[in-house]
């Protein structure tokens, strides 16, 4: 399993400098964070919409 991880990492980051790889990792983490925020907001909107429908 460890070996597979190394090969996947090499395939993904081949040709990248270390700073480019770090930047890509940071962007992936930021993207994941933003996706979570969006999902939370969508759930909040859905819940509020249901409350409004029930009240009217």
């Amino acid at each position: 399993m460890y070996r597979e991880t190394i090969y996947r990492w090499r395939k993904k980051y081949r040709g990248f400098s270390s700073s480019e790889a770090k930047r890509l990792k940071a962007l992936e983490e930021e993207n994941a964070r933003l996706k979570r925020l969006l999902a939370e907001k969508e759930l909040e909107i859905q819940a509020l919409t249901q409350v409004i429908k029930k009240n009217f």
Side-chain angles (χ1 to χ4, degrees):
M1 184 165 167
Y2 175 72
R3 201 174 215 173
E4 294 171 2
T5 303
I6 291 172
Y7 289 126
R8 263 186 278 141
W9 187 87
R10 281 183 186 167
K11 183 179 179 182
K12 185 174 184 178
Y13 296 107
R14 178 174 284 149
F16 280 53
S17 68
S18 63
S19 63
E20 290 172 326
K22 288 177 185 177
R23 179 71 177 141
L24 178 61
K25 180 74 173 165
L27 289 171
E28 288 173 342
E29 290 172 357
E30 177 71 4
N31 191 36
R33 186 183 72 79
L34 292 171
K35 283 181 179 182
R36 282 191 304 274
L37 284 173
L38 179 60
E40 290 172 5
K41 291 300 177 187
E42 287 177 351
L43 285 172
E44 186 178 324
I45 289 169
Q46 184 180 12
L48 291 172
T49 303
Q50 288 176 357
V51 168
I52 290 170
K53 284 181 182 178
K54 285 182 182 179
N55 288 335
F56 291 103

